[in-house]
């Protein structure tokens, strides 16, 4: 007998869930992006001082990429336990790990103090950051997706996505303020530590909010059904979530990975690599480059919910495809505007790039959530998103910097992003539209080992569950 559908949350409860996910993801992305900005601005001098400046930047970005390498492991571990124990517990753990690692970076001795031990310690803490973020994203978007009403899932699930630009905004804003009020010597000596130590305060706030929310009702219902199936089979355990994902949802994992290519690569080229390109090739000051990212991130934050709402009206795929095609088409104008060296053109280049990126990033949360069954959703969404990041976001600043070093021009970098956009267009183009799916129904048809149903509902059925 089918269990009753979980009761929809009250508006106030849903807003609290959204706030908890948004604030938590903002803090986690603040920690992650802070490292990326510091890698572009000061880590090359503090931790790799014996290298040529551009080589030092490459080594600094290499430690940045190491964080991405740990994200798939975080996706596997957090996905497994998130599908077994619930979303909330794992989200609290991810926040503690990320905040602790970031705070510790602020206390690290530099190369001048401990020699080669400094970059080793930096790399280890970066691994912890990546591990934590690998588990954060899936849990945060699922907690909202599984609480929110079906008709506006794209809108509500896009709010945790705004944690990325909010974190970027916060990290860049703090760095911009410090570089404005401190001399280069003071910032390089001790000022860079302040944003990392600030993470400790932010984590306390995030934990207080996250501990106050309820577990996903869709997950609790699925867990009860799984326990009933287990009892009916005389205690036989269901398959591991990762096994079920690879058996039933392997096509969805590949679609999610392909969809991430243009989104992930373009984002890190636009927000992290620009700090290198604008300051070395276009002759723009650090302060000007940081300010352009700061302004563009504020616009990015504002447009993501709008793109999410549009995906509720016309579908996830059309909005996502618009973003992928748009980002690819924008790359040559993007670099041409930066090359002028004008502050207004720099703002225009980054802002348009991030607005187009938002068209991919906004529907991504609902799109990936709707692909997978509840008892394997944390694993499936996290694996699809985070395994792609190893090939996409991880090496993006590194590849872009190497291309600039080898060719001395932005053309190969633009072609690199365009190639990623083509991959994403193909992946999303072959995917099925998921807008009308009921998350409670995306389940194996006859127990955990059966083929999953498509679970596409009519609009009228969707309205009844909203």
């Amino acid at each position: 007998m089918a269990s009753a559908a979980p009761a929809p949350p009250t508006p106030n409860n849903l807003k609290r869930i959204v706030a908890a996910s948004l604030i938590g993801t903002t803090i986690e992305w603040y920690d992650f992006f802070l490292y990326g900005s510091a890698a572009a601005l000061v880590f090359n001098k503090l931790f790799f001082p014996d290298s040529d400046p551009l080589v030092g930047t490459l080594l600094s970005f290499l430690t940045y990429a190491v964080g991405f390498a740990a994200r798939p492991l975080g996706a596997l571990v957090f996905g497994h336990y998130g599908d077994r124990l619930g979303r909330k517990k794992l989200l609290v753990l991810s926040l503690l790990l990320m905040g602790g690692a970031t705070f510790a970076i602020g206390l690290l001795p530099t190369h001048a103090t401990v020699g080669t031990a400094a970059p080793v310690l930096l790399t280890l803490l970066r691994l912890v950051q990546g591990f934590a973020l690998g588990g954060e994203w899936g849990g945060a978007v699922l907690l909202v997706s599984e609480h929110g009403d079906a008709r506006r899932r794209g809108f509500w699930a896009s709010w945790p996505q705004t944690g990325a630009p909010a974190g970027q905004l916060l990290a860049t804003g703090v760095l911009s303020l410090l570089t404005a009020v401190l001399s280069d010597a003071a910032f390089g000596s001790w000022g860079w530590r302040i944003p990392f130590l600030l993470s400790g305060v932010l984590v306390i706030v995030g934990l207080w909010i996250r501990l106050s929310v309820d577990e996903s009702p869709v997950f609790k219902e699925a867990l009860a059904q799984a326990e009933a199936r287990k009892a009916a089979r005389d205690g036989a355990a269901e398959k591991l979530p990762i096994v079920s994902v690879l058996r039933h949802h392997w096509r969805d994992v590949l679609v999610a990975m392909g969809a991430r290519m243009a989104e992930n690569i373009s984002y890190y080229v636009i927000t992290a690599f620009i700090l290198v390109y604008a300051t070395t090739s276009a002759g723009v000051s650090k302060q000007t480059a940081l300010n352009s990212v700061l302004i563009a991130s504020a616009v990015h934050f504002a447009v993501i919910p709008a793109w999410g709402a549009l995906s509720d009206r016309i579908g996830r795929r059309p909005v996502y495809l618009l973003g992928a095609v748009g980002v690819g088409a924008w790359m040559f104008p993007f670099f041409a505007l930066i090359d002028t060296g004008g502050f207004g053109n720099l703002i225009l280049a980054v802002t348009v790039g991030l607005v187009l990126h938002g068209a991919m990033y906004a529907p991504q949360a609902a799109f990936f959530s709707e692909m997978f069954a509840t008892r394997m959703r944390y694993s499936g969404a996290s694996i699809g998103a985070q395994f792609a990041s190893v090939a996409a976001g991880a090496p993006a600043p590194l590849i872009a910097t190497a291309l600039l070093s080898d060719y001395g021009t932005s053309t190969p970098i633009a072609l690199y992003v365009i190639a990623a956009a083509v991959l994403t267009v193909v992946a999303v183009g072959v995917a099925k539209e998921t807008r009308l799916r009921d998350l409670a129904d995306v389940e194996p048809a006859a127990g955990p080992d059966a083929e999953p149903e498509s679970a596409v509902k009519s609009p009228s059925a969707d309205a009844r569950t909203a």
Side-chain angles (χ1 to χ4, degrees), residues 34-46 57 60-61 171-172 175-176 179 187-188 192 272 275-276 279 285-287 289-290:
L34 181 61
Y35 189 104
S37 297
L41 296 174
V42 294
F43 280 177
N44 56 336
K45 302 180 186 69
L46 296 173
T57 301
S60 185
F61 274 141
T172 307
L175 284 172
S176 181
T179 56
F187 182 77
W192 67 271
L275 299 178
V276 175
T279 55
S285 69
K286 281 192 302 186
Q287 186 67 42
L290 283 168

Side-chain angles (χ1 to χ4, degrees), residues 13 111 181 191 211 216 219 251 287 307 315 325 373 399 411 425 434:
N13 187 45
H111 188 280
V181 301
L211 289 170
S216 155
F219 173 79
R251 293 181 184 86
Q287 186 67 42
W307 285 124
V325 172
I399 290 173
T411 299
V425 168
T434 62

Side-chain angles (χ1 to χ4, degrees), residues 101 212 438:
S212 69
D438 182 348

